[in-house]
Amino acid sequence: MTTNKTTCKNLILDYKELGIQIVKISRIKQLNALNTETLEELKETLQVFAKDTTVRVVILTGDGDKAFIAGADIAEMKDMNTSQGVRFSRLGHDVAKLLEQMPKPTIAAVNGFALGGGTEMAIACDFIIASENAVFGQPEVGLGIIPGFGANFRLPKFVGLPRAKELIFSGRRVKADEAFRIGLASFVYPVEGFLSKVIEFACEISQKSSEALRASKKTINELSETNGLNAKLDAEAQTFGTLFSSYDQKEGMSAFVEKRKPKFQGL
Ligand code: HXC
């Protein structure tokens, strides 16, 4: 299989035969956590791939063997104020919407930790394939915030409302076998040779009619509850931002950076 590799600062772009485009987030030292710069690179790149007819399927994955995306970058978010929080959330929404509305299939190849914004980017893809070491979760409430890249809207679509609430309220981690059981992951493959297995499946899809795939994705999206999507996401961004003027957000994120347990107000 021939490949054509390009590297941005925080992304590795790898084009394979049969129209398979891999987008690999590469901030290995931060476990591929999403900062503003990476989100902007993703936005620009996905806009190009949406229009590029040689790209038939997009695979989103993480560099290294430990993480898909360990969430939004907590060190960057720690000192944000409300308006910066709203802006950051909206930038993540732009990226997630590009994955969700791209006129071709998008697959999340979850190869390790997919926490917070990591799970949120995975569920913005059409479906998820997980490696055996994948770990999902929405730990935001433990940081004094809420999910802000669309999980309040998209997670219930994957796992149902009570399960989504349970996961968001508890912040507990979900391993690959449970992710498969609750409908978060469509397949689970061994760590060894994981990406090749995902590519194999993507190749099967990429050889179908691209026109029919485009029509199928558009119809499924339109018939699912995406009415008023922007207003729903805006409500999430506003609430997310509001929490950035709270004591608990500053305490939760400082505690993570200082590697200690948070002491929330009222505890
Ligand atoms: C910034 C992060 C990070 C993150 C890990 N790192 N996750 N930096 N933002 N989300 C950094 C650590 O600070 C550390 O840097 C290095 O990556 C390795 O992480 P360790 O914690 O030492 O590794 P380990 O003990 O193996 O634990 C892995 C982990 C843990 C379980 C994934 O790192 C973790 O809990 N990360 C945070 C997960 C999280 O809460 N995500 C949600 C964020 S909020 P140093 O410099 O110490 O080596 C979110 C909101 C989305 O995503 C919506 C926004 C609008």
Side-chain angles (χ1 to χ4, degrees):
M1 182 164 280
T2 60
T3 70
N4 183 359
K5 281 198 179 183
T6 322
T7 309
C8 304
K9 184 163 174 219
N10 303 292
L11 303 178
I12 299 170
L13 307 174
D14 191 1
Y15 181 81
K16 303 212 176 270
E17 277 177 349
L18 302 174
I20 309 301
Q21 178 65 58
I22 296 170
V23 178
K24 197 178 270 187
I25 291 149
S26 184
R27 295 185 76 219
I28 292 191
K29 273 180 72 183
Q30 295 85 3
L31 303 184
N32 304 325
L34 296 173
N35 59 356
T36 299
E37 188 178 57
T38 308
L39 288 168
E40 276 166 356
E41 283 185 10
L42 272 170
K43 186 173 166 181
E44 208 173 301
T45 303
L46 293 172
Q47 277 167 340
V48 172
F49 293 152
K51 292 200 182 109
D52 183 343
T53 51
T54 65
V55 172
R56 298 167 71 88
V57 177
V58 172
I59 297 173
L60 181 70
T61 194
D63 201 9
D65 51 15
K66 196 169 165 187
F68 170 70
I69 299 168
D73 192 310
I74 300 168
E76 184 186 353
M77 284 189 294
K78 185 170 79 68
D79 299 318
M80 284 183 184
N81 60 27
T82 288
S83 61
Q84 290 166 328
V86 173
R87 210 174 318 134
F88 189 63
S89 170
R90 284 192 179 138
L91 177 59
H93 286 159
D94 290 346
V95 173
K97 276 195 283 183
L98 278 160
L99 290 164
E100 188 174 57
Q101 292 166 13
M102 177 149 329
K104 54 197 86 181
T106 53
I107 304 173
V110 175
N111 58 325
F113 289 111
L115 299 177
T119 289
E120 293 186 284
M121 287 303 162
I123 58 179
C125 294
D126 292 317
F127 57 89
I128 295 170
I129 302 182
S131 66
E132 276 172 355
N133 69 339
V135 180
F136 299 82
Q138 298 291 164
E140 285 89 345
V141 290
L143 293 163
I145 57 165
I146 62 165
F149 288 163
N152 298 292
F153 168 67
R154 295 190 184 95
L155 193 58
K157 284 152 72 78
F158 268 72
V159 300
L161 198 55
R163 176 76 72 193
K165 285 181 175 168
E166 178 262 304
L167 292 176
I168 291 172
F169 295 171
S170 70
R172 76 178 174 84
R173 295 185 192 160
V174 172
K175 291 187 179 164
D177 53 346
E178 185 185 357
F180 175 72
R181 221 173 42 246
I182 65 176
L184 200 49
S186 298
F187 306 106
V188 179
Y189 292 137
V191 173
E192 184 81 30
F194 173 64
L195 198 56
S196 307
K197 293 292 282 181
V198 178
I199 292 169
E200 217 175 279
F201 190 72
C203 284
E204 263 182 52
I205 296 179
S206 81
Q207 288 167 80
K208 305 284 193 284
S209 155
S210 55
E211 196 180 343
L213 285 169
R214 187 165 54 245
S216 171
K217 180 162 173 175
K218 187 166 178 278
T219 308
I220 293 170
N221 279 352
E222 278 174 5
L223 298 185
S224 70
E225 309 140 39
T226 50
N227 277 350
L229 174 65
N230 286 341
K232 287 175 189 167
L233 293 177
D234 201 50
E236 180 184 78
Q238 295 298 338
T239 311
F240 179 83
T242 303
L243 289 166
F244 279 72
S245 40
S246 73
Y247 172 86
D248 281 358
Q249 177 271 325
K250 293 286 171 279
E251 168 58 12
M253 293 196 177
S254 300
F256 176 78
V257 170
E258 291 158 19
K259 301 185 189 294
R260 60 173 174 82
K261 278 201 156 162
K263 286 193 192 127
F264 291 126
Q265 256 173 4
L267 269 189

